[in-house]
Structure formats: structure tokens, C-alpha cells
């Protein structure tokens, strides 16, 4: 029977080619994900280890409650100083003590646009040895900074900003713009920098002036003498540190923590990719099952003869499964090789979009190889199991008397009942989801979606008859005999048609659902951006450090600035209720923001009057005229009188009062945002003037309505395109399934096609018949997919609306029409080879085929 399985694989190479391709693509997706994850993870771990090379103990400043203390000027204060560093250096086994100052610095490129990625824009002190070199930051060009007006940058940042040694570098820490002369370019293995950040280096005194106080440090990096026990040295250092103000961690523990963080960061991406790989393999199951069902149908006489000469049912099953396992193994090996290429390509694409992964070789682990091969073989064998059992159940006499018996009525009834029950349960769960109020209930929505899709797949043969018949009326009217034959061929075996269409349906269901939810969320973001904002500009900072109030006043005096209103906030409690309170200029806020009062009005004085949003009033039981006993975040108490209640406004927030009410409770009085209304609308020239008035800091975010929309809704569009790309693999596999089904169907109908040619149907008619059959199957899958996708997005969208008050379901008819057109194109393209093959059959040989 094993020889028989091997002979069957070799005898049906062409017919199994498309099935092998489906397995190959699915395994390639899985293998690519695993190899990519291992490669990037290992590269980052090595970079982290190299960055910690020589670190025996790390001593860092902490505070038991709040971390390093900050004074009114925003500078941190620590107990790590030269005196403590000298005491640590005197310990037995200590070879060196590096005294680090760290902070953040955002650099401006030539066009003023910030370089790097937010919190990854690091700054530190350059600590030269006798030769002027710093082992942690090897020099690539120039020298290290040695004076207050000098700076060094990492090589990648300098290249990105087009800075050369001798240029003037503009940057900001948490205040006004600073300029220093670039004297050196260094290299670094710090993963935060190599993965999209930047690095600025100063001499120690300058770094302390920018971030700390003279003589203080953020970290003491202890190097151990050869042969020193790292754990014992860490314990000695820990004993001499001030309690609750500093902590010592061994280099080994730091490396382990960084490794854990890298693993956690990669895990989310890997799991996401594996989900889409699973979808691709799930689609492949339909193709594999379809192929083996058709092959077994074509070999029913052969199986009957095997049974007649003594083969048992188990032997028939094992023969088919061995054939599937061999096909799965060969396909998986090729797919794994392709997956390695996908991993390299994926890394290159992400790097090109700013991911900045560290360099390193491609890692192909035994786990990735064995997992990929096991998945490919298991999926293929699983998909072939039901067809093999069906083959084994055929009685020898029955198989010898017929080529393909129609499906048993009892089997169809059971399938339809089961499909109805599963679909009904899925729909019931999704209707229940529409009543839920928290995004934490997302797993219930996922379960309901899976049940609904599974039920529709089971019911697909039943649904195929009315839908295909409806499409067949159109093809018959437009294309005559060819259209009618196409309809009859598609209806000939509903299970086969349904299985082929289901593969396409799965991909389009997911794409449609994501598109509808994404489009609706995007529109909700647009509404939130425009709703309540009359201002042409919203100004803030990328690091949320706030805007100097005096600089903000300069914007109000610019020509073309019609009205400005600052926003700065604090918080207060009223018993068990907490709310954030925005302070603003009560005289101008109505000109830059939409305030629609449902009761009362804006306070006329900042003494104790506030206005609150409808939602805050409803949730906290507040009403106009009520006086609240408020406790602010600085523990000071006051009585606040509610002067009015306004319709929810995302710009204003929960509560609004005068700046004079908020300022006494702020540690440092700064504007978190500044709203600016102009006379002639937003313009490039006015934006430049605003930036100049605010010091041209690279930390500034000067956003008009288009910028706000891009920031809020643009991310959703990016995610959608990524999802399209990932689900594209499933759609490609579905197309392969249509090609495979048509090709094998043509082989089955060789005699029939020969007879059609004999009675006068031209070659073009044969081609048209096969093409129309393909189009009908593809459109059937598309209609099911789009319909189910719309239903699931409608029911699941309720969870999205909890975080987006302006969310409402909006169907993107243009894109949905494009999906239908895509299905039409898929049908035409998938039929090219089968239709050509059918038309080229020799008439006499086809009639004589067995």
C-alpha cells in the first residue's frame, strides 16, 4: 500500500501541483515568521549583551516613592556623586567605575523636522580616557566633546540629519532650542538607538548642567577585576548604598532583563504574524480536502479493485494519508526554504520603514524547521483524512459500477442541520456582543465570529444552489449555452463548489470586516478632530513638557492670529469622583472651541466657577448650580460651583475653568496645548511664524486639521494596508484553489468536453464555459465573504464605539465594490490555464477517454 501511495503521487504530479503550492505558501508564511522572530530576537540580544559588555554592577539612583527627585527647574537630583563613586571604586575586586549622566535630546534635521523616535532620543556624557577615546562610544570621525559648546552624535543620526563634523547642531532637551558644534561622530550598540532612536553626547559637566546638578550622576557602571565573583561584588556594593535612594543590579541580571524585554517585544509581532499564517493554512485545508476528494472520486474504480483483492478499509485510509503526508513533507521542505527568504525580505521592509533592527545573521533554529515541517505535514494529513475515510467506506461493487456517486441524502441533511445550529449560535453570540460595553469583551466577539464563519462554511453547499442559480441566470442571458453550462457545472457538485468558494470567502470576510470597522473608526477620528475645534492650529510638544506661557503670548500678537486660548490642566476629587480640570482663557475659548451648553453657561469669573461635560455630569451626578467640595491633586481644598453643562467636546475634556483657578495647583505653570484661530485659515507661512515665536524647537507640534487627521486616523489606514498585505497570502492560496478545482474538473469532464466539441461547441465556447464557471464560483465566495464580513463588523463595531464616542457604522461602498471586482478578476485569471487546457483537448481522444 505504501508503494501504491508513492505511485499515486508520481502519477498525479500535475493534479497535485496546485495543492502542493497551497501547502508551500502556508508553510512559508509560518517558517518566515519563526525565522524572522529568531533572527531579530538574537540580533537584539547580542546588541544588548555587547552594550553591557564589561558591566559587572550597575548602580542607579532611585527614590522609594517617586524616583529621582526633580526641582522647580525640571532638573533631577540624585545621591550618586563623586564621593560615592570613589567609595565604590575602593571596594576589593572593582577595576573601574564609569560615571554616567543620561537624558533625552531631540535633534532637528536640516528642515527643522525632529530626528529619531521620541523616548529613544538618548543623551549621555562622553568619558574619554588618556587617549581621548571612550570605549563605550568608539569614534568614527573627529573627537569627543570636551567643552560646553561641543556635541557628538551617533553615525546613523548624523547621516539621517546630513550633519558633518564642524556643523552646528540644533536640539532641545526640555526647554528652549540649544545649538552646539559637532566635533565627533561615534558608533554604538545600544538597541534603543539602533532601533530608531538617536544619541547625543556632551562632556560630563555640560551633561550635568542640562539634566542634573554639578557632581551628580544617574548611574555608576562598575567594572570587575578578572576572577571577581559578580554576585558577591553586587552584594558588597548594595550594602554601602543609601537605602531607598539607590540600587545595585548585577550585569548578568541586567542582561537577563533586557533579553526578557526583547522577547516580550518580539512576541506580540510574532503572534500576530502567526495568526495570519494560521488563516492561510486554514484556507489551504479546503484546497487540500477538495483535491483529495476529487482524486479519490477519479480513482474509485482503482480503490474498488484494491478492496476486491483484499485491501482493508484501514489500508485504504493509510494509503491516502501516506500520499498526503508525502505531499505535505515535500511541499513543507520547499516552503521552509521560501520562508527563509520571506524572513529576510520582511526584515528589509521593516528596516526601510524605520524599524532599525540591529545587524545579524539569519537564524534558522531546529525548532523553527521542525515546527514548520510538522505543521505542513499535519495540515495536509488532517485535510486528507475525511476524503480517505469516504473512500474506505465505498463498497467494491458500488465503486465498480459508478464513477462518482451522488452525496447521500442523509449526509446532506445532517450537514445542513449542523450548519444551521452552528450559524445560529454564532449569530446569537454576535447579537449578544452588540449589548456589551467594554473592549475587554473582545474574546467573546472573536468566538462569535469564528462560530458564524464556521457555520456559513458548513452551510455553503446549501447556499450555493440559490446564489449560483441566480448568477447562472445572468450568465445564461449574456452568454447563452456557455453560460448555462457553466451554471450547471458549478451546481453539479455543491460540496466541491462550496469548498472552493469557502477558501475565498474566509479571506474576504476578514478583509471586509477589517475594512468596514477601520473605515468607520477612521471617519469617527475625523469627526473627533473636527468636532468642537474652531481653531486652525493645535500646538503642543512631542514630549509633553508643555509650552512656556510667555512664549504662548507671543503667538497671540502675531499678524493673522485672531484668537488664542491656552489649555493647562490639573485634577480634583469630589468624594469618590475624580475629574480633570482644564484651565483656559474664558474670554477667548468660545472662539477656538465649540461649546454647546445644555444648561447654564460658561463661568464669568475664575474665582470658583467651572463648566462640566454632559458625560461627566451624568456619571458623577452633577447639575448646574451645584457646589462641589473639591480636593485638588496637590491636596489643597476648594469649593467649585458648576456654572454650566456643555455637550461632550474631546478638545475641552471633562471640566473647564479659568487659568487662575488651575495655576495654583500646578508644580510648574506651562500650557499643555495652545489653540489658535487665524483670520485667513492655516498657511505654511503662518506656521513658520508660530514656530519662530515659540523658539523653533524640534519638540514643537504645530498641527492644523489635516495634521490632526493624519495623526489620529492615518494610523488606522496604515494598519489596514498591513492587514491587506498579510491576508493577501490567504487570498492567493484561495486563487490557487480555484485553479486546482477547475483543472481537475476539466480532467473529470474530458469525455463530456469531447462530446460538446463533437456536437458543435467551438473552442472559444469551451474556454468561455470554464471561465464563467470560475467567475460564478469566485463571485459566490465573494458575496458570502462580504455579507458575513459586514454582519460581523456591524456586531463587533459596538465594542469599538465604547472608546470612540463618534463611532458609527459606515459602509465603504467603493472598496466593497472593488472587492467584488477583485473576485471577478480572480475568476477570470484562475480560469486561464484550465480553460486553455480544456479547449486544446483532442475531440476524438477526449470522447475515448475513460
Amino acid at each position: 500500500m505504501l508503494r501504491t501511495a508513492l505511485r499515486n503521487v508520481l502519477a498525479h504530479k500535475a493534479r497535485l501541483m496546485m495543492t502542493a503550492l497551497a501547502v508551500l505558501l502556508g508553510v512559508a508564511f509560518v517558517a518566515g515568521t519563526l525565522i524572522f522572530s529568531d533572527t531579530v530576537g538574537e540580533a537584539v540580544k547580542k546588541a544588548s549583551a555587547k552594550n553591557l559588555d564589561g558591566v559587572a554592577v550597575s548602580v542607579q539612583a532611585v527614590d522609594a516613592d517617586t524616583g529621582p527627585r526633580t526641582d522647580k527647574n525640571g532638573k533631577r537630583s540624585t545621591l550618586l556623586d563623586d564621593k560615592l563613586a570613589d567609595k565604590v571604586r575602593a571596594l576589593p575586586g572593582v577595576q573601574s567605575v564609569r560615571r554616567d549622566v543620561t537624558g533625552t535630546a531631540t535633534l532637528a534635521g536640516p528642515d527643522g523636522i525632529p530626528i529619531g523616535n521620541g523616548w529613544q532620543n538618548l543623551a549621555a556624557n562622553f568619558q574619554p580616557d588618556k587617549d581621548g577615546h571612550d570605549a563605550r562610544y568608539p569614534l568614527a570621525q573627529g573627537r569627543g566633546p570636551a567643552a560646553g559648546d561641543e556635541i557628538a552624535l551617533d553615525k546613523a543620526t548624523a547621516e539621517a540629519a546630513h550633519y558633518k563634523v564642524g556643523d552646528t547642531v540644533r536640539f532641545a532637551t526640555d526647554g528652549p532650542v540649544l545649538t552646539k558644534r559637532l566635533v565627533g561622530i561615534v558608533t554604538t550598540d545600544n538597541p534603543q538607538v539602533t532601533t530608531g532612536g538617536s544619541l547625543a553626547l556632551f562632556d560630563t559637566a555640560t551633561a550635568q548642567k542640562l539634566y542634573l546638578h554639578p557632581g551628580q550622576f544617574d548611574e555608576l557602571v562598575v567594572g570587575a577585576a578578572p576572577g571577581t565573583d559578580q554576585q558577591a561584588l553586587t552584594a558588597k556594593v548594595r550594602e554601602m548604598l543609601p537605602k531607598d535612594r539607590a540600587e545595585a543590579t548585577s550585569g548578568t541580571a541586567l542582561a537577563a532583563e533586557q533579553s526578557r524585554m526583547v522577547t516580550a517585544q518580539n512576541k506580540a509581532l510574532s503572534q500576530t504574524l502567526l495568526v495570519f499564517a494560521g488563516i492561510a493554512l486554514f484556507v489551504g485545508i479546503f484546497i487540500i480536502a477538495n483535491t483529495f476528494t476529487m482524486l479519490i472520486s477519479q480513482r474509485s474504480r482503482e480503490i474498488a479493485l484494491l478492496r476486491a483483492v483484499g485491501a482493508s478499509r484501514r489500508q485504504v485510509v493509510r494509503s491516502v494519508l501516506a500520499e498526503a503526508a508525502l505531499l505535505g513533507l515535500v511541499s513543507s521542505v520547499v516552503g521552509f526554504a521560501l520562508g527563509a527568504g520571506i524572513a529576510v525580505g520582511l526584515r528589509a521592509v521593516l528596516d526601510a520603514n524605520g524599524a532599525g533592527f540591529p545587524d545579524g545573521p539569519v537564524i534558522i533554529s531546529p525548532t523553527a524547521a521542525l515546527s514548520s515541517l510538522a505543521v505542513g505535514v499535519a495540515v495536509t494529513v488532517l485535510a486528507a483524512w475525511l476524503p480517505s475515510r469516504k473512500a474506505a467506506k465505498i463498497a467494491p461493487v458500488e465503486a465498480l459500477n459508478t464513477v462518482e456517486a451522488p452525496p447521500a441524502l442523509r449526509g446532506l441533511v445532517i450537514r445542513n442541520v449542523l450548519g444551521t445550529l452552528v450559524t445560529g449560535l454564532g449569530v446569537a453570540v454576535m447579537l449578544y456582543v452588540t449589548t456589551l460595553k467594554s473592549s475587554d469583551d473582545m474574546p467573546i466577539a472573536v468566538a462569535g465570529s469564528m462560530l458564524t464563519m464556521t457555520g456559513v462554511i458548513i452551510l455553503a453547499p446549501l447556499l450555493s444552489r440559490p446564489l449560483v442559480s441566480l448568477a447562472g441566470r445572468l450568465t445564461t442571458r449574456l452568454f447563452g449555452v456557455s453560460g448555462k453550462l457553466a451554471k450547471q457545472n458549478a451546481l453539479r457538485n455543491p460540496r466541491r463548489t462550496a469548498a472552493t468558494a469557502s477558501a475565498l470567502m474566509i479571506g474576504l470576510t476578514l478583509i471586509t470586516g477589517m475594512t468596514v470597522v477601520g473605515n468607520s473608526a477612521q471617519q469617527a477620528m475625523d469627526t473627533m478632530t473636527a468636532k468642537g475645534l474652531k481653531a486652525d492650529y493645535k500646538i503642543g510638544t512631542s514630549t509633553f513638557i508643555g509650552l512656556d506661557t510667555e512664549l504662548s503670548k507671543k503667538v497671540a500678537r502675531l499678524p493673522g492670529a485672531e484668537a488664542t486660548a491656552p489649555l493647562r490642566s490639573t485634577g480634583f476629587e469630589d468624594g469618590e469622583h475624580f475629574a480633570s480640570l482644564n484651565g483656559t482663557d474664558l474670554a477667548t475659548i468660545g472662539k477656538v472651541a465649540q461649546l454647546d451648553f445644555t444648561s447654564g453657561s460658561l463661568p464669568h469669573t475664575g474665582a470658583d466657577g467651572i463648566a462640566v461635560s454632559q458625560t461627566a455630569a451624568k456619571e458623577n451626578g452633577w447639575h448646574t448650580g451645584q457646589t462641589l467640595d473639591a480636593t485638588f491633586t496637590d491636596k489643597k481644598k476648594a469649593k467649585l460651583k458648576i456654572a454650566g453643562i456643555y455637550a461632550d467636546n474631546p478638545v475641552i475634556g471633562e471640566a473647564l475653568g479659568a487659568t487662575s483657578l488651575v495655576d495654583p495647583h500646578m508644580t510648574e505653570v506651562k500650557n499643555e496645548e495652545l489653540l489658535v484661530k487665524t483670520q485667513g485659515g492655516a498657511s505654511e507661512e503662518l506656521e513658520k511664524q508660530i514656530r519662530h515665536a515659540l523658539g523653533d524647537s524640534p519638540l514643537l507640534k504645530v498641527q492644523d486639521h489635516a495634521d490632526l487627521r493624519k495623526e489620529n486616523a492615518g494610523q488606522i489606514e496604515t494598519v489596514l494596508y498591513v492587514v491587506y498585505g498579510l491576508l493577501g497570502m490567504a487570498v492567493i492560496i484561495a486563487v490557487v484553489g480555484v485553479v486546482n478545482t477547475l483543472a481537475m474538473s476539466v480532467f473529470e469532464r474530458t469525455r463530456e468536453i469531447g462530446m460538446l466539441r463533437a456536437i458543435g461547441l467551438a473552442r472559444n465556447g469551451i474556454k468561455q464555459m470554464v471561465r464563467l464557471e470560475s467567475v460564478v464560483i469566485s463571485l459566490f465566495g465573494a458575496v458570502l465573504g462580504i455579507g458575513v464580513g459586514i454582519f460581523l463588523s456591524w456586531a463587533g463595531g459596538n465594542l469599538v464605539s465604547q472608546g470612540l464616542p463618534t463611532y458609527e457604522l459606515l459602509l465603504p461602498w467603493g472598496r466593497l465594490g472593488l472587492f467584488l471586482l477583485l473576485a471577478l478578476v480572480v475568476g477570470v485569471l484562475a480560469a486561464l490555464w484550465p480553460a486553455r487546457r480544456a479547449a486544446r483537448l483532442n475531440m476524438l481522444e477526449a470522447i475515448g477517454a475513460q
Side-chain angles (χ1 to χ4, degrees), residues 412-451:
L412 289 175
V413 171
I414 292 175
R415 176 172 183 148
N416 292 340
V417 171
L418 178 62
T420 302
L421 291 175
V422 174
T423 305
L425 179 60
V427 170
V429 171
M430 294 310 295
L431 291 176
Y432 170 67
V433 167
T434 61
T435 66
L436 300 177
K437 302 296 182 184
S438 172
S439 57
D440 294 336
D441 297 313
M442 190 61 72
I444 300 176
V446 172
S449 300
M450 292 179 65
L451 282 171

Side-chain angles (χ1 to χ4, degrees), residues 681-694:
S683 68
E684 187 175 342
E685 182 60 31
L686 184 56
E687 182 176 337
K688 289 180 180 178
Q689 292 178 19
I690 292 173
R691 286 186 174 277
H692 183 67
L694 293 171

Side-chain angles (χ1 to χ4, degrees), residues 355-368:
F357 296 118
D359 293 332
V362 176
I363 304 297
I364 300 179
S365 66
T367 302

Side-chain angles (χ1 to χ4, degrees), residues 597-601 612 617 622-627 641-646:
F597 281 86
T598 57
S599 68
S601 62
V612 298
W622 294 338
H623 57 82
T624 300
Q626 182 179 356
T627 299
K641 185 176 181 180
I642 300 177
I645 297 175
Y646 55 84

Side-chain angles (χ1 to χ4, degrees), residues 107 126 132-146 150-169 180-189 193 198-202:
L107 289 89
F126 188 85
H133 296 282
D134 186 336
R136 188 169 187 178
Y137 304 113
L139 285 164
Q141 296 179 36
R143 61 176 177 81
E150 295 177 349
I151 189 174
L153 301 176
D154 69 284
K155 188 176 180 180
T157 300
E159 290 176 351
H162 305 293
Y163 281 129
K164 296 179 181 178
V165 173
D167 288 348
T168 298
V169 177
K180 296 188 185 297
R181 184 167 56 90
L182 182 63
V183 296
I185 295 175
V186 303
T187 59
T188 179
D189 296 305
V193 179
S198 64
L199 174 67
L201 296 175
F202 311 97

Side-chain angles (χ1 to χ4, degrees), residues 32 122 125 323:
L122 305 184
N125 57 323
E323 184 179 344

